[in-house]
Amino acid sequence: MNTVLRFGIPKGSLEEATVDLFKQAGWQIGISSRSYFPTVDDGEMKCHLIRPQEMGKYVERGTIDVGIAGRDWIRENDSDVVEVCEMVYSKVSRRPVRWVLVVAQDSTVQKPEDLQGATISTELVAFTKRYFKERNIDVNVEFSWGATEAKVVDGLCDAIVEVTETGSTIRANNLRIVCDLMESVPVMVVNKAAWNDPWKRAKVEQIATLLNSTLRAEGMVGLKMNAPADRVDDITSMLPSQKAPTVSHLYKSDWVSIESVLPEKEVRRIVPELLRQGAEGIIEYPLSKII
């Protein structure tokens, strides 16, 4: 039985964030500038550094079993893989990126149909071609090697399909978004044969569970306190929680211990209220995982 899972780590902008996420989840991945083969402290895994643009192809053909890449590149390659889960994180924020149709500010184009016969420049060539073909809009789609915004500014094309989070760079270049074509977040994808292998599937699910539990714990803390038993309803009604706060009686006492999980940013607001309601011995502690 093959008991090694080949895992693709996205090379580039997501690389550092992915390694850090694995570290928080319990795996130490080491990447050297002199090697394409990261080390990992798990004898059941072998890691590979792979460009997100190529991840779907390698997973589909079984060169690797599983990998993380943006959903945009999985769709660009029309990869026939199993999507295990979303992994909503990035180098900068946890906001999805958007692929948008963009024209010059003074363009007469108001909708995709207005681009009939036009030339569009983008890195996302296959997806863009499919998008316009599905709508029976005849366009010429060219691959862009970079500086895509400049092409429409210089009149080298009629429109571009570009990725953005906030749209600020597009506006700064005096360009205008016509419409959104796709939203994308990182996703974990697995080869179909690997997914049907019981051992590999269990290993993938283990990794996905722990990575997502780490993401769920991001920005969350635990809060524990003691309180008079007759104030429990008032105090617990103030506490956000995954389901309901945990309440346990203190030994030989008419006081209780109350424990809850809440966003860290809520602590500064809620602690003064808890004190006014009679809570004492309030402890805040960090969380590494929420499973």
Side-chain angles (χ1 to χ4, degrees):
M1 182 173 65
N2 184 2
T3 55
V4 173
L5 186 77
R6 297 162 296 176
F7 202 105
I9 303 295
K11 184 175 176 60
S13 62
L14 282 178
E15 184 179 324
E16 185 177 342
T18 303
V19 171
D20 185 59
L21 179 61
F22 267 95
K23 182 179 179 179
Q24 294 177 64
W27 282 271
Q28 295 286 339
I29 296 176
I31 296 178
S32 167
S33 59
R34 296 185 296 272
S35 174
Y36 285 101
F37 303 100
T39 60
V40 59
D41 63 342
D42 185 338
E44 296 178 341
M45 287 177 65
K46 183 177 181 182
C47 291
H48 306 259
L49 269 181
I50 297 175
R51 292 278 180 193
Q53 295 91 330
E54 301 176 301
M55 190 74 73
K57 294 187 292 185
Y58 287 122
V59 171
E60 179 179 1
R61 71 177 67 144
T63 306
I64 57 173
D65 298 307
V66 58
I68 295 173
R71 184 180 280 132
D72 46 4
W73 295 112
I74 304 301
R75 293 183 66 181
E76 166 70 1
N77 293 307
D78 201 20
S79 301
D80 187 18
V81 294
V82 177
E83 183 178 312
V84 181
C85 60
E86 291 186 350
M87 307 293 300
V88 187
Y89 70 101
S90 76
K91 181 180 178 182
V92 178
S93 74
R94 294 182 65 175
R95 182 184 304 172
V97 298
R98 301 150 54 212
W99 283 90
V100 293
L101 181 62
V102 176
V103 295
Q105 190 66 248
D106 59 357
S107 171
T108 59
V109 173
Q110 298 297 323
K111 57 187 183 298
E113 288 77 9
D114 295 338
L115 285 166
Q116 183 76 30
T119 297
I120 300 173
S121 185
T122 184
E123 287 183 82
L124 211 67
V125 172
F127 172 84
T128 302
K129 285 181 176 179
R130 289 197 301 272
Y131 178 90
F132 281 94
K133 184 176 180 180
E134 288 166 2
R135 289 156 180 80
N136 295 315
I137 304 169
D138 184 26
V139 294
N140 176 38
V141 181
E142 297 179 338
F143 178 75
S144 173
W145 291 96
T148 309
E149 292 98 338
K151 291 181 172 65
V152 72
V153 172
D154 290 342
L156 300 176
C157 60
D158 301 295
I160 61 173
V161 171
E162 182 65 328
V163 66
T164 184
E165 277 196 18
T166 65
S168 58
T169 302
I170 289 170
R171 290 190 295 272
N173 283 284
N174 201 31
L175 302 176
R176 174 169 53 85
I177 295 175
V178 176
C179 63
D180 288 18
L181 272 60
M182 168 175 50
E183 269 195 357
S184 177
V185 295
V187 291
M188 183 183 293
V189 293
V190 61
N191 172 267
K192 286 188 169 181
W195 189 242
N196 289 326
D197 179 292
W199 182 88
K200 288 187 177 181
R201 182 168 182 161
K203 185 69 176 178
V204 169
E205 289 175 336
Q206 174 206 22
I207 295 169
T209 295
L210 291 172
L211 291 182
N212 273 308
S213 71
T214 299
L215 289 172
R216 279 193 293 272
E218 204 171 88
M220 305 292 285
V221 296
L223 207 63
K224 191 172 184 178
M225 69 207 73
N226 295 330
D230 62 359
R231 306 310 300 270
V232 169
D233 289 343
D234 291 331
I235 289 176
T236 55
S237 67
M238 299 164 51
L239 291 169
S241 180
Q242 297 291 299
K243 290 188 177 177
T246 300
V247 178
S248 55
H249 286 272
L250 300 182
Y251 182 61
K252 292 184 178 180
S253 172
D254 57 357
W255 281 57
V256 297
S257 174
I258 302 173
E259 193 165 6
S260 186
V261 172
L262 67 159
E264 184 177 16
K265 63 184 179 182
E266 290 290 311
V267 173
R268 64 191 181 194
R269 177 189 63 81
I270 207 169
V271 164
E273 293 295 324
L274 293 172
L275 292 171
R276 279 192 282 271
Q277 292 294 336
E280 295 181 4
I282 300 173
I283 300 171
E284 177 188 341
Y285 53 91
L287 302 173
S288 59
K289 300 178 184 68
I290 298 176
I291 302 174

